[in-house]
Amino acid sequence: MEHTIIAFINIRSGSTAVSESVYRKLLRLLPKGHCYELVGTNVEEILLKFSHFHGLRLIVGGGDGSNSSFLREMSKVKFDHGPVGVALLPLGTGNELARVYGWGKSYGGGDLSEYVKCVNLAEPSPLDLWKIMISPASPAVDESNSLESAVCATPAKGTSCSSTSADVNEDQSRTSPVNAIVMSCFFSIGLDAYVSKQFHKFRENRPGVCNTRSMNKVVYTAFGIQSFFACRSLQDSANICLDGNDVNLAKGVEGVTFLNIPSTADGTNPWKQRRKLGGKKESPKIAKTNDHIHADERISGDKTSMDGWTLQSPADGRLEIVSYQGAVHLGGIQAGVVGGGRLGQASTAELKILKRDVPAQVDGEPVVLHAGDTIRIEQVGQAWILRAPSFYNSSYINGGK
């Protein structure tokens, strides 16, 4: 079946010269009016124009931040013929979602006509979407956190470990507004978020330097080295609650990541290799909670791993939460030598920022969390991502690499 394909390309993503080239090539490959620049385009308006089409398929070219931004806009549109599949074209510095769904780690100048053929043949696969609700301590809205407000208004579920739990449906009665951000890949606080924040600040100030993917990685590495001296323990800076159970962070923990997909930091999976929780044994509450969850899942037929945890999936309504103790530990995770500290698997989470501001990131885009902020994370729905066909060879778009 030949599908109607609409493409949205972020020409500022990764290597700008490569992204602009991709945009020009797709303008020629696709029918007129079927290819758009992602930045500066009213995505919702374009999607509404095509919402009645049968067999509609969408291409998003960019990194994880571009994908997340697009899925947020897409969630505002009701399509007449059911869910619409999204194919990913990896143009960013970080392309974790594209890796997970089989589209490769980066575009290297290959044949885009072959890629478009594979988009026609790909099968849709679900992806959980999560809502991160930031409830500030003061009435003033923090503009630094405005990655645009999500339109989703799903009531908060589960037990809250804080009397200031964020419920978007109660916004009108609150003195503190709630910023809601849609997350599709990962959310993190601390060390790696600090590196992301420094990188984005550098790129904004010196766009001419950060205009290739390889240079972006060099800059990232430089700020990673800087983080040896810049980051502090999160133990006294944040309280974390998973499915209503408090988590005690060890003194040396400098970063925590909430994973929706089994990939972050250039294809590494910090959940994969087992490690004690930040140098301590598992919290009895978390271990007990997960044992109960696993028993229920075995009855329902969901798969569990040999160590008793539910197997990772981007569509199971759960996040995997891991910790890491400093830049050396994070470097070991990225090198595949060690794993992160497994804090738990959860369908809801809450964080309370305590004494000082804490850097955070959502799908690679920086956010600043201020002392007193309360953050609630819960699932808001699903998107349908096209999984590359089994015969797909990423060399089609990786230039043979």
Side-chain angles (χ1 to χ4, degrees):
M1 173 182 177
E2 282 291 320
H3 294 271
T4 299
I5 296 176
I6 312 298
F8 295 85
I9 307 299
N10 183 356
I11 62 172
R12 303 176 189 174
S13 190
S15 170
T16 53
V18 171
S19 298
E20 288 172 359
S21 173
V22 166
Y23 174 66
R24 289 194 298 270
K25 288 177 182 177
L26 287 176
L27 279 174
R28 294 192 296 268
L29 276 172
L30 299 176
K32 185 177 180 180
H34 284 217
C35 183
Y36 300 88
E37 290 186 31
L38 181 58
V39 177
T41 295
N42 188 328
V43 173
E44 182 184 1
E45 183 179 290
I46 299 300
L47 293 179
L48 281 170
K49 186 170 73 171
F50 290 97
S51 62
H52 64 285
F53 277 52
H54 285 276
L56 182 63
R57 296 207 156 173
L58 306 172
I59 294 172
V60 183
D64 294 316
S66 299
N67 296 333
S68 182
S69 172
F70 179 83
L71 293 174
R72 180 170 60 247
E73 293 302 307
M74 186 178 173
S75 70
K76 302 175 184 178
V77 179
K78 181 175 171 130
F79 295 94
D80 293 353
H81 303 287
V84 171
V86 178
L88 307 170
L89 185 52
L91 299 176
T93 303
N95 300 298
E96 309 305 332
L97 196 60
R99 290 173 187 266
V100 170
Y101 285 84
W103 296 107
K105 62 182 182 179
S106 66
Y107 174 76
D111 187 354
L112 284 174
S113 64
E114 293 294 333
Y115 169 78
V116 171
K117 289 178 185 177
C118 288
V119 171
N120 263 304
L121 297 171
E123 291 295 325
S125 185
L127 169 72
D128 290 339
L129 297 178
W130 298 82
K131 180 172 54 177
I132 298 174
M133 294 170 287
I134 304 171
S135 182
S138 63
V141 178
D142 176 17
E143 296 298 332
S144 67
N145 285 346
S146 60
L147 295 186
E148 294 185 22
S149 237
V151 294
C152 317
T154 300
K157 299 178 182 178
T159 305
S160 168
C161 61
S162 168
S163 61
T164 57
S165 173
D167 185 336
V168 170
N169 285 339
E170 296 176 0
D171 256 6
Q172 301 303 320
S173 62
R174 296 177 59 89
T175 57
S176 298
V178 174
N179 293 328
I181 304 167
V182 172
M183 181 266 284
S184 56
C185 298
F186 54 85
F187 167 71
S188 68
I189 62 172
L191 181 61
D192 67 329
Y194 166 82
V195 176
S196 175
K197 173 188 172 184
Q198 296 302 107
F199 169 76
H200 280 269
K201 187 186 296 184
F202 182 87
R203 184 167 64 176
E204 286 176 3
N205 293 334
R206 301 185 182 180
V209 176
C210 298
N211 59 3
T212 67
R213 190 170 183 265
S214 58
M215 181 53 71
N216 289 346
K217 288 193 170 187
V218 169
V219 174
Y220 247 105
T221 302
F223 285 121
I225 295 171
Q226 185 189 79
S227 69
F228 273 86
F229 313 100
C231 292
R232 292 179 286 175
S233 172
L234 291 173
Q235 186 183 46
D236 298 323
S237 302
N239 287 340
I240 297 177
C241 180
L242 303 179
D243 286 340
N245 297 303
D246 292 329
V247 175
N248 296 317
L249 296 177
K251 186 175 181 180
V253 169
E254 293 185 4
V256 175
T257 298
F258 297 74
L259 293 163
N260 186 40
I261 61 173
S263 182
T264 185
D266 213 19
T268 57
N269 183 2
W271 179 263
K272 188 175 181 181
Q273 295 172 297
R274 186 60 181 271
R275 183 183 175 91
K276 289 182 180 179
L277 302 181
K280 290 185 176 182
K281 293 183 179 180
E282 291 182 1
S283 161
K285 288 184 179 180
I286 297 297
K288 182 178 179 181
T289 300
N290 281 314
D291 286 344
H292 175 70
I293 290 172
H294 295 150
D296 289 345
E297 295 301 348
R298 288 190 187 100
I299 293 172
S300 69
D302 284 2
K303 296 180 180 180
T304 57
S305 59
M306 294 297 291
D307 57 8
W309 297 92
T310 302
L311 292 176
Q312 276 182 284
S313 167
D316 62 357
R318 290 194 186 91
L319 297 170
E320 283 70 40
I321 300 90
V322 296
S323 66
Y324 37 87
Q325 298 183 329
V328 173
H329 185 194
L330 182 60
I333 293 172
Q334 294 174 355
V337 178
V338 297
R342 291 183 172 184
L343 297 179
Q345 292 173 306
S347 57
T348 62
E350 281 200 17
L351 298 85
K352 180 74 173 180
I353 306 304
L354 303 176
K355 296 180 179 180
R356 59 184 174 86
D357 292 355
V358 173
Q361 65 170 334
V362 180
D363 294 339
E365 300 297 319
V367 177
V368 177
L369 302 177
H370 299 294
D373 285 358
T374 300
I375 299 92
R376 181 170 177 85
I377 306 172
E378 62 184 36
Q379 189 180 354
V380 73
Q382 287 187 323
W384 289 89
I385 307 299
L386 295 174
R387 189 173 291 279
S390 57
F391 59 84
Y392 173 78
N393 185 336
S394 61
S395 67
Y396 289 152
I397 62 168
N398 288 342
K401 295 179 183 180

